[in-house]
Amino acid sequence: MATGSPEACTTIVVIIDEDPTERTTLLPHSVSKDSTCSAKKPFPAFQLAIVFLIQLCEPVTSGVIYPFINQFVRATGVTNGDENKTGYYAGIIESIFFYAEGLTALPWQLVSDRIGRRIPMLIAPLGLALVTVGFGISTTFPSLVIFRAGQGILNGDIGVGKTVLIELSEPSQRAEVLSWMPIGWSLGTVIAPCIGGIFASPAERWPDSFGQIQMFRVHAYLLPCLIAAGLAVVAFLLAAFGLKETSPTILRKRGAMSSMTCHILDEGTTSNASKASFLAVLNRRVLLLLVVHGFFNITTTFYFALQPLVWSTSIEHGGLGFDAFTIGTVNTAFAVPNAILQFLFLGKSIKAFGPKAVAVASFVGTVILVGLFPVQTYFARGTGAIDWRVWSVIVIQLTTSMGFYAGYGSIMFFAIDASPNPESMGTVQGLLQTVGVVVRGLAPAVANSLFAYSHENDVLSGNLVYPLLMLFCVFGVYVSMLLPRISA
């Protein structure tokens, strides 16, 4: 781990593995005793805020469709009026996003290593705004697929943003910065369904205002897409005027030195001034981390995919019969306490219990989350309505879901620990992002298809999907227990 003294910028990395392919030894070396370098580095709050806002666009633009995607799919006519087929087509829409993101995550990272981080971080939010609006004005199923794939491609730069967070912060600041990182994701995954649920079909909900506008009468789901696109535009404008370059390679070429970037140049300069080879990056710790990260993403996405599907499906077909507005309202009510608790306790819990304990606990939470769906539907079917028992289970489920956001933050500590050297961090982040989004693309199709199959064939009274997914989550708990113990 790199540490800097007040007198000079130095880098010391302790050798923790004798295998040179596992970790590159960085010997202490001196850098110019420039006053800028020796000065205390300020916390880059504004830069971090810009990156967090750009990263917030990913869960918002990807998740805004969840409350209404099933209704949107039916509105295109692709299901021919068969409600049981909705899960198949909704799964395609949800999965194509992650497949497109997965195919472009590593290329985005490699491009940023060559041309710098700033340009990709500008292109992504601007492009997202355009394709999100395109999704909202779509009227056919193929156009939904095309624009959804465009969202995935432009969200492929999320790994670049994570690399920027690491490069912006000094080693002494990273525990705090990385502990806050899941807050943006948790807010996004809650804000997005709120936007999608509350503002879907505005012409019907507010006939005296939006009902007078032809565009919103024809395109019932355009307004939430416009709001999500607006956030992406704000992120682009702030980045265009305020985001600084952080790539060690680009800064070294420019000879850039400042109180904010000195430590980046320091950490990015090794004894041989070269980046580890791709094969050297794939050491045992990185490979294990890729497996754990993959399991964590697919199991958490099971929950995100099932929630709107189960909640929007009618009670007689194995759901709760909520409309998009109800789904959005419930998630809105959950957003505030979730954000507060994440802010107050996320970083402290990782530091107190360690990244491994937090990761394992997050995996255990996924088992509980999936297991609570059949409990909800059991109570709903028993009375034919949503009573206090159903709402109690929903509250328990939403409360439990707070825990797995910490899992994303804990994994970042393992990424730093496993990287052979600082300049390989971008490659590691690109690999993690690629694996994560590919399995997240698989998860909605698996969950939705199993849900549809279970109900079409009445297997276990339509509940086959839940024990199968819970078994997968249990295996994820086992895999997480293989992680090494490290400190935050």
Side-chain angles (χ1 to χ4, degrees):
M1 182 175 179
T3 59
S5 68
E7 293 76 24
C9 287
T10 61
T11 299
I12 301 176
V13 173
V14 180
I15 306 174
I16 67 172
D17 197 321
E18 294 181 358
D19 185 351
T21 64
E22 292 290 316
R23 189 160 304 276
T24 301
T25 304
L26 308 184
L27 300 177
H29 62 279
S30 296
V31 183
S32 174
K33 296 182 180 181
D34 189 277
S35 59
T36 300
C37 192
S38 61
K40 183 178 180 180
K41 318 301 187 299
F43 190 76
F46 181 64
Q47 293 295 305
L48 291 174
I50 295 175
V51 178
F52 280 133
L53 182 59
I54 295 175
Q55 290 208 306
L56 183 64
C57 294
E58 198 267 359
V60 169
T61 54
S62 66
V64 70
I65 73 168
Y66 287 139
F68 59 77
I69 185 57
N70 297 294
Q71 294 92 326
F72 205 167
V73 166
R74 296 179 193 124
T76 64
V78 71
T79 63
N80 294 317
D82 188 348
E83 186 174 347
N84 287 325
K85 292 182 179 179
T86 304
Y88 291 118
Y89 291 101
I92 293 173
I93 293 293
E94 295 169 15
S95 295
I96 195 65
F97 173 92
F98 296 111
Y99 285 132
E101 186 178 0
L103 290 173
T104 56
L106 187 55
W108 273 104
Q109 189 68 64
L110 296 176
V111 168
S112 76
D113 287 341
R114 180 177 294 272
I115 67 174
R117 319 292 188 208
R118 178 177 159 81
I119 294 177
M121 295 287 282
L122 290 175
I123 294 174
L126 181 60
L128 268 178
L130 297 175
V131 296
T132 301
V133 173
F135 187 91
I137 62 176
S138 296
T139 56
T140 65
F141 184 75
S143 62
L144 289 180
V145 173
I146 292 172
F147 283 112
R148 187 62 170 168
Q151 287 180 319
I153 291 171
L154 291 161
N155 268 299
D157 82 320
I158 194 71
V160 179
K162 293 177 182 178
T163 303
V164 172
L165 290 177
I166 294 173
E167 291 173 341
L168 278 173
S169 56
E170 287 188 330
S172 61
Q173 299 169 337
R174 283 177 188 157
E176 181 180 6
V177 170
L178 296 180
S179 296
W180 288 2
M181 186 184 67
I183 297 176
W185 177 263
S186 65
L187 284 175
T189 55
V190 173
I191 292 172
C194 295
I195 296 173
I198 293 174
F199 295 101
S201 303
E204 296 179 7
R205 188 162 292 125
W206 302 289
D208 294 335
S209 53
F210 288 101
Q212 305 303 312
I213 303 175
Q214 176 68 15
M215 180 177 293
F216 294 119
R217 292 200 302 269
V218 176
H219 303 289
Y221 307 106
L222 174 59
L223 183 58
C225 292
L226 284 174
I227 295 173
L231 176 66
V233 170
V234 172
F236 165 76
L237 293 175
L238 285 176
F241 292 101
L243 186 64
K244 299 182 182 298
E245 183 59 66
T246 63
S247 169
T249 302
I250 299 301
L251 292 177
R252 188 180 300 110
K253 288 180 179 179
R254 295 177 181 175
M257 294 287 284
S258 71
S259 61
M260 185 188 76
T261 60
C262 175
H263 75 278
I264 302 174
L265 292 171
D266 178 45
E267 291 183 287
T269 304
T270 66
S271 57
N272 57 10
S274 64
K275 185 178 178 179
S277 67
F278 187 79
L279 290 178
V281 170
L282 292 176
N283 58 56
R284 289 190 297 270
R285 291 195 173 197
V286 170
L287 291 175
L288 173 60
L289 183 59
L290 291 176
V291 173
V292 173
H293 188 60
F295 268 94
F296 189 68
N297 275 271
I298 197 170
T299 52
T300 55
T301 307
F302 283 155
Y303 167 72
F304 285 121
L306 282 175
Q307 190 209 59
L309 181 58
V310 174
W311 288 8
S312 68
T313 301
S314 59
I315 294 178
E316 57 268 27
H317 286 89
L320 301 184
F322 289 166
D323 58 18
F325 183 80
T326 301
I327 295 174
T329 302
V330 171
N331 283 295
T332 300
F334 166 69
V336 175
N338 181 46
I340 293 174
L341 290 174
Q342 296 289 335
F343 179 77
L344 293 177
F345 300 111
L346 178 57
K348 294 178 181 178
S349 64
I350 293 179
K351 292 178 181 179
F353 301 105
K356 179 176 180 177
V358 172
V360 173
S362 299
F363 269 99
V364 173
T366 64
V367 181
I368 300 173
L369 286 170
V370 175
L372 289 175
F373 282 119
V375 179
Q376 297 170 9
T377 59
Y378 173 79
F379 288 138
R381 275 184 169 179
T383 60
I386 306 302
D387 60 12
W388 67 270
R389 295 175 300 175
V390 177
W391 285 114
S392 297
V393 177
I394 290 175
V395 170
I396 295 172
Q397 188 180 55
L398 291 174
T399 303
T400 304
S401 71
M402 295 181 184
F404 65 59
Y405 292 105
Y408 288 104
S410 64
I411 286 175
M412 296 305 297
F413 290 95
F414 291 104
I416 296 174
D417 178 72
S419 298
N421 57 44
E423 289 198 337
S424 298
M425 180 59 66
T427 302
V428 173
Q429 289 297 328
L431 289 170
L432 286 173
Q433 192 64 22
T434 299
V435 170
V437 296
V438 166
V439 299
R440 281 161 59 197
L442 178 64
V446 171
N448 291 354
S449 297
L450 282 174
F451 181 88
Y453 176 82
S454 300
H455 288 279
E456 284 183 351
N457 297 278
D458 197 29
V459 184
L460 293 180
S461 300
N463 292 317
L464 175 66
V465 55
Y466 305 118
L468 289 179
L469 296 185
M470 287 176 68
L471 284 174
F472 198 90
C473 294
V474 169
F475 190 71
V477 175
Y478 167 76
V479 171
S480 68
M481 296 177 68
L482 301 177
L483 288 168
R485 292 191 178 276
I486 61 173
S487 59

